[in-house]
Amino acid sequence: MAAERIYIFRRFERFWHWAQAATIIFLLLTGFEVHGAYKLFGFGTAVNLHTIAAWTLITLWVFAVFWHLTTGEWKQYVPTLEKVGAMFNYYLTGIFTRAPHPFRQTTLRKHNPLQRLAYLFFWLVISPVIWFSGWFYLFYGQWAELGVAGYLSLEWVSFFHVLGAYMILIFFIAHVYLATTGHTPTSHIKAMITGWEEVED
Amino acid sequence: MNNRRGCRFGATIIGIWLTVLGLLFSGAALAVSKTTTADHSKFKELQKTFASGPEVTKACLACHTEAAKQVHRTKHWTWEFLNPDSSQRLGKKNVINNFCISVASNYAFCTACHVGYGWKDDNFDFKSEANVDCLVCHDTTGKYRKLPGLAGHPAYKEMELPPGSGKIVKPVDLTQVAQKIGKTSRDTCGGCHFFSGGGDGVKHGDLDSSLTVPDHELDVHMDAAGLDFTCGTCHLTSAHDIPGSRYVPTAKDTEGRHLRGKVSKGNPATCVACHSDRPHSLKEARLNDHARKVACQTCHIPTIARGGVATKMIWDWSTSGKMDEKGKPIVKKDEKGHVIYDSKKGDFVLGENVEPEYQWFNGKVRFTLITDKVDKSAGVTPINRFDGSPDDGKSLIWPVKVFRGKQPFDPVNNTLVKPHTAGQDTTAYWTNFGWDKAITVGMASAKAPYSGKYDFIETEMRWPITHMVAPKDKALACIECHRADGRLKNIAGIYMPGRDSHGWLDLLGGGAAFFALLGVIGHGSLRIFSNRKGGK
């Protein structure tokens, strides 16, 4: 079985991915400390680091959004239901019987249909939950000036922020695992580092 | 030879020591001459021998013509205060506490801390200008002392006090004290406020003799080697009326910083009066957000009684009156020398470095007065109540010293009682150990009814904490409150990250994450397993 190498992930994309990964892991770590789950940095430090990491991620996203719009890469997230069932079947059975992967990566379609749906869910549901609750959390002291003090309570802002955090944690677990389901267990990860993916011929 | 060298060395040391002392004294003298425009020792009116305090006062009033009239208008003189919010008639004269309980019938003893001379009973003349005590607040010598039992007078001649105690008290040199008169100081204010409740640090917990010469750690503002604030620096006094009363405290100062030229009716003794209500730098903006809900004192006074002087936390009057086998009163001390039992007073619990308790407080205080009903079966009786809530917009979370005790009450009339404690007569509890007589006389003096029956009731008194401000690096760390069992564990009405959570969200979210992990581990294991099988 020969393998073909194709260039999938460009330099900025790779930088963005890993920087974002590090920031999100750090946000989870500090965030759950602020939530009272464990003691690592100390509450006050955790709050400050969490805030700095949040602004870092925001900055990163501004660049990433710009990059996606200017390169047209946003199209990678346009959802499709085509072959979704096949993808499910592959993960449920095919992967154990070495069945061929139902999706063939190309530079133009680098995400499989399940990935597209998952990432779209991330952008459209998880992100708004975490960002909006996060911003309100961050600007808690200015609620009166912003005119939202009457509509918000820290209790519910915190609720949605923690809810978002759990969703990200679950997403993260699944994401890391699915990264091992490529052509070889490490091929996806290598691709995310070098940009080159080995695909089955 | 050796001996001579030793002598010379000794002489040198003594010489240096004397020089240092001399410099210190001349420095002190210079300091006085720099800050005052009047050297009272040069005043002819004061160059005489005074036989009594009122004589000194007359001399003072010859120049300071309005001073006594000003003092007459203050709580320091009347011991009376009408709370404009609750219409409760308060003041030392009227309130009951759970320390020495009440001044009624004990005037001659208690008025050792009155700014006047001669208040021993109801006949005291509140109009008398000569009876205002100028010296007690303006003494700079530290030698002027008013003694319990003398109705606000110092000793004018050598006397045994208390009578029969064998303790001899020397008379005060009134001329010397009068000639060295000056501004109020931590010593003069502290003379009463540090020792209130019957001893050093007893009552407040944040006011004791360690504040006479405090270091930076104990109080950043009063630090004797630093900012060296006196009480008057914050309790900025005008016409002898000293702002900063505990009867109507300013719980949340909305007046902002007091600036020169700005007309303000606010309390100058609040933190905000100098620091504003956004006191932290932009870098610490989050702390400013806290200032909307939390009093400065909550974080900046981590513990009370920090200066090495213990404060009383519990006073149980019900165990008083026990005698030794010879029938004599007992005094028991702990290993640090604190009195923990006294036949006259009962059991005490003292504390140092005490963590305050915390509560919402809007500045409204309501006292349980002699006319108010109490109910023993309803639990602990509040001597005073601090009003406050998270939603009224007027409250902050405040540190308080809660002083707990058991004290006599009338179980028939269901009121607290005012016992007659001090004195040499046959009804004083501290002399005769009979509650019934002591309460009968005390209540008669207070013109309040007494059924003839007494019992003991648990009480609680609250004191807002505001002194002994620690340096900022010693302020409470975030985690002290932002954890489940932190200092604010009992504060309701706010969501605190680190303390609060939605339990079921954590259960669902954490559970889902756990199952996701379990799922991927299972899936991965299956893959490895099937791979091996397939490979063979």
Side-chain angles (χ1 to χ4, degrees):
Chain A
M1 207 187 282
E4 190 194 333
R5 279 165 56 100
I6 55 166
Y7 190 63
I8 301 250
F9 300 114
R10 289 188 258 175
R11 187 181 301 190
F12 173 80
E13 215 172 3
R14 274 143 43 209
F15 161 75
W16 168 54
H17 172 266
W18 289 112
Q20 178 174 259
T23 318
I24 287 178
I25 292 168
F26 193 66
L27 279 162
L28 283 169
L29 212 59
T30 50
F32 278 107
E33 174 167 10
V34 172
H35 189 53
Y38 43 78
K39 183 178 167 10
L40 196 64
F41 298 100
F43 184 89
T45 313
V47 170
N48 288 336
L49 293 174
H50 194 76
T51 309
I52 293 167
W55 285 115
T56 309
L57 193 55
I58 289 168
T59 313
L60 211 56
W61 272 40
V62 170
F63 282 104
V65 167
F66 181 74
W67 182 86
H68 276 92
L69 291 179
T70 51
T71 55
E73 286 289 306
W74 58 271
K75 289 177 194 136
Q76 302 281 358
Y77 303 101
V78 174
T80 168
L81 290 176
E82 197 188 335
K83 285 193 183 175
V84 169
M87 283 303 304
F88 264 114
N89 283 336
Y90 175 73
Y91 285 131
L92 286 176
T93 57
I95 195 165
F96 304 118
T97 58
R98 298 193 159 194
H101 201 288
F103 174 74
R104 195 177 190 285
Q105 265 180 317
T106 71
T107 316
L108 293 175
R109 290 186 311 159
K110 54 194 180 193
H111 299 144
N112 73 48
L114 261 188
Q115 267 180 304
R116 283 186 184 228
L117 284 180
Y119 293 156
L120 195 70
F121 181 76
F122 188 88
W123 305 137
L124 294 187
V125 179
I126 304 182
S127 292
V129 167
I130 204 81
W131 283 124
F132 279 105
S133 60
W135 271 318
F136 283 126
Y137 219 139
L138 198 58
F139 291 104
Y140 169 66
Q142 282 73 47
W143 284 9
E145 286 92 325
L146 297 170
V148 297
Y151 309 100
L152 291 175
S153 80
L154 192 60
E155 187 172 359
W156 285 103
V157 165
S158 168
F159 173 86
F160 282 107
H161 203 60
V162 175
L163 177 71
Y166 279 118
M167 291 199 285
I168 289 173
L169 180 63
I170 292 160
F171 186 93
F172 173 76
I173 292 167
H175 181 82
V176 169
Y177 174 69
L178 289 171
T180 66
T181 59
H183 170 57
T184 66
T186 55
S187 70
H188 282 340
I189 297 160
K190 275 186 194 152
M192 211 61 240
I193 297 169
T194 62
W196 291 89
E197 176 78 270
E198 284 178 11
V199 288
E200 282 174 75
D201 211 9
Chain B
M1 193 63 179
N2 259 345
N3 221 357
R4 256 173 72 190
R5 206 184 297 159
C7 279
R8 215 179 300 157
F9 180 71
T12 316
I13 292 289
I14 291 168
I16 292 171
W17 177 237
L18 287 175
T19 315
V20 169
L21 271 184
L23 282 172
L24 278 174
F25 274 108
S26 58
L30 275 175
V32 168
S33 67
K34 268 184 200 160
T35 54
T36 175
T37 54
D39 179 351
H40 282 75
S41 68
K42 292 178 181 162
F43 286 19
K44 280 200 189 64
E45 288 85 346
L46 301 179
Q47 287 165 357
K48 57 184 263 201
T49 307
F50 295 101
S52 73
E55 261 185 49
V56 181
T57 301
K58 280 179 195 156
C60 302
L61 295 177
C63 297
H64 303 277
T65 55
E66 306 310 300
K69 293 186 194 82
Q70 291 180 350
V71 171
H72 281 177
R73 290 196 288 265
T74 70
K75 287 188 287 296
H76 275 123
W77 176 256
T78 60
W79 280 13
E80 194 150 47
F81 176 73
L82 185 67
N83 186 329
D85 295 327
S86 64
S87 299
Q88 279 196 312
R89 195 163 288 280
L90 306 173
K92 208 172 281 296
K93 200 173 133 182
N94 300 305
V95 296
I96 295 175
N97 64 36
N98 49 0
F99 293 87
C100 294
I101 302 181
S102 145
V103 296
S105 83
N106 302 308
Y107 277 106
F109 190 85
C110 302
T111 53
C113 273
H114 182 238
V115 287
Y117 299 112
W119 188 357
K120 58 181 193 299
D121 52 35
D122 287 348
N123 299 320
F124 181 64
D125 179 9
F126 286 95
K127 297 243 160 58
S128 162
E129 293 195 17
N131 277 349
V132 170
D133 183 351
C134 308
L135 301 179
V136 70
C137 300
H138 294 281
D139 172 36
T140 64
T141 66
K143 292 174 182 168
Y144 184 78
R145 277 184 66 214
K146 288 148 74 89
L147 298 162
L150 303 185
H153 288 282
Y156 299 131
K157 56 181 195 303
E158 203 166 270
M159 56 167 75
E160 187 186 28
L161 209 85
S165 67
K167 287 179 191 154
I168 302 299
V169 179
K170 290 236 155 46
V172 171
D173 183 347
L174 290 171
T175 307
Q176 189 198 29
V177 172
Q179 288 185 358
K180 293 210 167 147
I181 211 77
K183 285 183 180 175
T184 60
S185 63
R186 292 192 297 261
D187 300 77
T188 52
C189 301
C192 283
H193 293 279
F194 293 166
F195 297 90
S196 53
D200 196 0
V202 162
K203 212 175 245 177
H204 303 272
D206 58 339
L207 287 172
D208 62 46
S209 68
S210 66
L211 288 174
T212 312
V213 190
D215 62 13
H216 192 245
E217 299 273 289
L218 182 60
D219 194 300
V220 277
H221 302 108
M222 295 201 258
D223 174 11
L227 295 171
D228 202 18
F229 279 23
T230 66
C231 308
T233 313
C234 296
H235 294 269
L236 194 64
T237 301
S238 156
H240 281 100
D241 189 19
I242 297 163
S245 152
R246 282 177 198 276
Y247 293 121
V248 280
T250 311
K252 186 179 196 173
D253 187 348
T254 52
E255 292 284 317
R257 216 189 303 238
H258 291 213
L259 300 171
R260 277 174 287 183
K262 183 181 140 194
V263 178
S264 174
K265 285 185 179 167
N267 178 356
T270 66
C271 309
V272 169
C274 292
H275 293 281
S276 90
D277 58 354
R278 313 282 290 161
H280 305 95
S281 69
L282 208 59
K283 231 178 97 188
E284 294 165 319
R286 194 154 291 281
L287 296 179
N288 283 337
D289 296 342
H290 282 69
R292 294 163 197 263
K293 295 266 164 76
V294 182
C296 309
Q297 289 88 335
T298 293
C299 300
H300 289 276
I301 307 174
T303 58
I304 57 172
R306 282 208 310 281
V309 178
T311 189
K312 221 162 256 184
M313 298 304 296
I314 297 174
W315 183 332
D316 182 355
W317 279 96
S318 72
T319 59
S320 66
K322 287 181 210 157
M323 300 292 155
D324 66 8
E325 57 274 16
K326 288 176 197 152
K328 294 263 185 255
I330 313 163
V331 173
K332 271 192 247 170
K333 291 183 179 177
D334 66 5
E335 66 279 3
K336 284 184 172 171
H338 305 133
V339 175
I340 51 171
Y341 180 80
D342 183 336
S343 300
K344 290 177 173 180
K345 298 171 182 176
D347 280 299
F348 301 133
V349 175
L350 291 98
E352 279 186 65
N353 284 309
V354 180
E355 279 186 16
E357 294 176 38
Y358 300 90
Q359 69 169 98
W360 290 105
F361 183 34
N362 61 14
K364 289 197 166 46
V365 185
R366 214 181 155 80
F367 277 80
T368 301
L369 298 171
I370 193 93
T371 45
D372 294 320
K373 293 288 173 204
V374 297
D375 182 359
K376 189 174 178 174
S377 63
V380 181
T381 296
I383 291 286
N384 61 354
R385 271 173 255 247
F386 285 8
D387 192 23
S389 98
D391 314 310
D392 64 6
K394 294 169 184 164
S395 299
L396 295 177
I397 297 165
W398 266 77
V400 293
K401 173 184 168 179
V402 182
F403 186 69
R404 300 189 161 87
K406 259 189 197 172
Q407 66 194 90
F409 86 115
D410 182 332
V412 179
N413 291 328
N414 283 318
T415 59
L416 295 173
V417 294
K418 298 185 168 189
H420 177 47
T421 46
Q424 298 302 318
D425 57 273
T426 56
T427 60
Y429 187 78
W430 289 344
T431 315
N432 297 284
F433 301 96
W435 277 117
D436 194 44
K437 275 193 282 184
I439 297 168
T440 306
V441 169
M443 291 300 269
S445 162
K447 298 181 181 68
Y450 172 50
S451 70
K453 288 214 165 62
Y454 69 90
D455 189 8
F456 291 87
I457 190 165
E458 276 187 72
T459 54
E460 238 176 48
M461 184 166 195
R462 276 149 207 279
W463 297 83
I465 295 303
T466 196
H467 306 100
M468 295 191 179
V469 177
K472 60 181 168 191
D473 56 306
K474 292 283 188 312
L476 282 195
C478 314
I479 194 70
E480 291 276 345
C481 301
H482 286 279
R483 58 186 159 93
D485 59 343
R487 294 202 187 198
L488 299 188
K489 59 178 181 289
N490 296 326
I491 294 290
I494 44 164
Y495 183 90
M496 279 175 62
R499 183 192 75 165
D500 300 322
S501 61
H502 297 82
W504 56 271
L505 173 64
D506 288 333
L507 201 69
L508 280 179
F514 177 73
F515 283 115
L517 199 62
L518 219 59
V520 300
I521 290 169
H523 197 269
S525 310
L526 269 177
R527 267 170 67 208
I528 294 167
F529 180 70
S530 62
N531 231 344
R532 273 203 197 132
K533 225 168 73 177
K536 269 174 194 169

